[in-house]
Amino acid sequence: AQRKSHRAGTLSAYRTELLDGIGFQWLPCWDTMFEDLMAYKRQHGDCQVPQTYSANPQLGMWVRTQRRARRQGTICAERSAFLDALGFDWGSGSSEDDNEWHQRFLELSAFRQANGHCEVGSSSRIGRWLSAQLHEHCMGRLSPEREQMLAGLGVTWSQSCSLALSTYDRHWDRAFASLEAFRQAHGHCHVPR
């Protein structure tokens, strides 16, 4: 998420400086991940890396990122051609993302049915997901369809975006502290998933 924010120019200079200060690497090596994907294909016969691939969790996320970049038109032609030549399946990621979103939505729906409201604590998985949806809404990135689905459960978008962003800031600060502790313990910022 920090790399994406940095590329988009939305990561503050202060946070960039903090991450730089602990040796955070902004660009994961695309070529290394592509080599990992080739090895996966040699072993499994396809490029269908599960997002939660335990042998190399970073590879599952990287594959998802390539699919998203293709859908958004941000992947360069050369990389797209390399993936095409390998037999990369571009279609799977979209449904995978949708399935994950709908699973969280169903969990929130069950919470609402059991409790009569959608005020989920921010420390729970559903609460963190809902905070992320509010943040996406405030940043103008939540699709109207998803916005409408959440509103149908009673999620109110009238909450101030500053509240969502301050919650995001608290999460970011905690995650940064954890990353800094990891770097001190291990000497690098390559946290396994």
Side-chain angles (χ1 to χ4, degrees), residues 104-112 120 126 129-130 150 153:
R104 298 294 162 266
F105 177 81
L106 290 174
E107 290 172 21
L108 180 62
S109 181
F111 178 90
R112 185 187 186 288
V120 184
I126 304 169
W129 176 81
L130 186 55
L150 289 165
L153 285 182

Side-chain angles (χ1 to χ4, degrees), residues 51 64 71 91-107 129 146 149:
Q51 184 177 338
R64 180 180 177 190
R71 283 193 313 274
S92 299
S94 177
S95 62
E96 187 175 306
D97 289 346
D98 286 345
N99 289 342
E100 183 179 338
W101 193 93
H102 286 286
Q103 179 60 40
R104 298 294 162 266
F105 177 81
L106 290 174
E107 290 172 21
W129 176 81
R146 289 181 175 182
M149 289 174 71

